[in-house]
Amino acid sequence: MDSWTDTLRFAFQPVVNLTTGGVAGLEILARPETGDVLAEARRDPEVDGRLAVLAFRAAARKEALLPLYLNVFAGTLADLGGLTPLHDAVRAAGRLPWEVTIDVGPPYTHVPQQALLEAIGSLRDQGFRISADGVGDGDVPLRLLADMAPDLVKLDASLLARPAAVRAMRTLCDQLAALLCVEGVETELQCGSARSAGAQLAQGELFAPPARLPAAEVYVPPRSTGLAVTPRSGPSVREFVRPAALLPATASAGQVRALLTGSPEVSGVLLVDAYGVPVRSVHRSRFLLSMSGRYGHALYADRPAAKLGDPPRTVGVDATAWEVLDVVAVGGRDRTSDDVAVVDRYGRCVGVVRLADLVRALAETRVEEAAGLNPLTRLPGSDAITGEVDLRIADGRPFALSWLDVDHFKQVNDGAGFAAGDELIRSVGRALQHAASGSTRVGHIGGDDFLVLADPEGLSPLASSMLDTPWSAGGRPVTLSLATVLCEPGSVTDHRQAAACLAPLKQAAKSLRGASWVLGRAGLSGHEVLRGVEAETARAEWAVADPGKG
């Protein structure tokens, strides 16, 4: 055996799910006591391939049931055309290839791209998952990243200082059906930034440092506020995926029992076929109850565990939390606590979701939404709208952001009374909700100020509906002012810049006589007056109507 293997040790660092706070997997890191084996592995693909095998065996000896992340240089895969010895080691240890993710890392310069893609295809055929490592701090070309179609993209934490870049990478990941992970997170501020930018996974010293033993617990800062979600879609199931306990479909009941009794945190076992497709679901409590009954062990220990399982409940990786609840609702009540298997586009299991996680998250979302509702109109406040603005900017979608308010509202309150003023605001809020359609979002900032977020083509009918309506408070006629800024992709970087573009348009609308509507475009000076009379024109009209007023 080479001398470098004699002094080689390995450390484990958790990859954390930012939504559930659970450990989604373990990255295995080489820690040589002497020499620089990583430099040698970068130069010699055979050494790098052997290092991956040793890393896996080190994890297998620790009996870690969590999914594993193994680092391999891109050049190694291009040169070796795959990792057959690793596949053999995984099978020999009784693990399944889809429980192992290959972290493909830089450098990519001078690596034959076609050879690399063919090697990645070979690994996928064997069942391994693929992660693109070092993105943002490495030299991976974007075109190659898209061609790799990784299951996971790992970003360096330094990119969090450029949130637009992280949000853009999240958009790319959504298109590739990949998860986004941020590496090197050291502070709670970085963790909050990763969440805000849309990262689903993270790792770093904040959660747990690399250690000789797999971490049993990690620290995850609590969420201060939830991401803005619409009732129609709900949070993605990707946010709640936990590692699945997998065994081959041929496993015996004794093998399942050994796994469950040795791992108290495992709530169930999925039996999968040779391709990783779930075929049976074994619930912990029901299974152990059957095994502990009279003659249970004698009857079942050597029989296939599938006999004590149920048909698996599955959802795709693109499902929402509400769709998972629909799946749980189908069937008997005795299965409501069963894990739901999450499968990729090939039907292979990528993890499980637990009902408790979904219910907790959806309840928190509802509480946060309720806390943000204006008590007068029951419309969401500015946070919900600005959060949606940032999502549309990240998605590269054009949008129209509008500010609607009541003209001279203080005079309305002073003249008609606050009760009449409140009723007017409620009426305007109801009318806005009724006029909103499709993807239009309406919010009530406070007082007489409302926000409207719409697709550009969907705003005109809403504006006509609101401005053509005769409004009154306590018998006094009232008019509304509307200011709109059109934001094309790339014209604004976040909701703050969009709001800054909108502010002068509101002032312009308020300077007009009667119901008014002013339209501007982000990044361009000037505006159009679509409704209302300019102040100078109004004074001229007054002078003609009454020459005594000059």
Side-chain angles (χ1 to χ4, degrees), residues 65 495 542:
L65 293 176
H495 70 269
W542 296 334

PDB file of all heavy atoms in Angstrom, residues 65 495 542:
ATOM      1  N   LEU A  65     -25.791   6.229   7.737  1.00  0.00           N
ATOM      2  CA  LEU A  65     -26.856   5.907   6.785  1.00  0.00           C
ATOM      3  C   LEU A  65     -27.206   7.085   5.889  1.00  0.00           C
ATOM      4  O   LEU A  65     -27.998   6.953   4.964  1.00  0.00           O
ATOM      5  CB  LEU A  65     -28.110   5.463   7.543  1.00  0.00           C
ATOM      6  CG  LEU A  65     -28.003   4.141   8.301  1.00  0.00           C
ATOM      7  CD1 LEU A  65     -29.282   3.886   9.077  1.00  0.00           C
ATOM      8  CD2 LEU A  65     -27.729   2.993   7.348  1.00  0.00           C
ATOM      9  N   HIS A 495     -36.350  45.095  -5.424  1.00  0.00           N
ATOM     10  CA  HIS A 495     -37.590  45.848  -5.178  1.00  0.00           C
ATOM     11  C   HIS A 495     -37.309  47.266  -4.713  1.00  0.00           C
ATOM     12  O   HIS A 495     -38.118  48.169  -4.946  1.00  0.00           O
ATOM     13  CB  HIS A 495     -38.458  45.100  -4.160  1.00  0.00           C
ATOM     14  CG  HIS A 495     -37.912  45.105  -2.765  1.00  0.00           C
ATOM     15  ND1 HIS A 495     -37.074  44.127  -2.282  1.00  0.00           N
ATOM     16  CD2 HIS A 495     -38.070  45.989  -1.743  1.00  0.00           C
ATOM     17  CE1 HIS A 495     -36.761  44.389  -1.029  1.00  0.00           C
ATOM     18  NE2 HIS A 495     -37.336  45.506  -0.676  1.00  0.00           N
ATOM     19  N   TRP A 542     -59.907  76.755 -15.377  1.00  0.00           N
ATOM     20  CA  TRP A 542     -60.597  77.496 -14.313  1.00  0.00           C
ATOM     21  C   TRP A 542     -60.736  78.982 -14.690  1.00  0.00           C
ATOM     22  O   TRP A 542     -61.744  79.616 -14.434  1.00  0.00           O
ATOM     23  CB  TRP A 542     -59.841  77.377 -12.992  1.00  0.00           C
ATOM     24  CG  TRP A 542     -59.798  75.982 -12.482  1.00  0.00           C
ATOM     25  CD1 TRP A 542     -60.676  74.984 -12.736  1.00  0.00           C
ATOM     26  CD2 TRP A 542     -58.797  75.435 -11.625  1.00  0.00           C
ATOM     27  NE1 TRP A 542     -60.285  73.826 -12.102  1.00  0.00           N
ATOM     28  CE2 TRP A 542     -59.136  74.075 -11.400  1.00  0.00           C
ATOM     29  CE3 TRP A 542     -57.648  75.945 -11.023  1.00  0.00           C
ATOM     30  CZ2 TRP A 542     -58.368  73.246 -10.615  1.00  0.00           C
ATOM     31  CZ3 TRP A 542     -56.888  75.116 -10.236  1.00  0.00           C
ATOM     32  CH2 TRP A 542     -57.241  73.777 -10.041  1.00  0.00           C
TER      33      TRP A 542
END
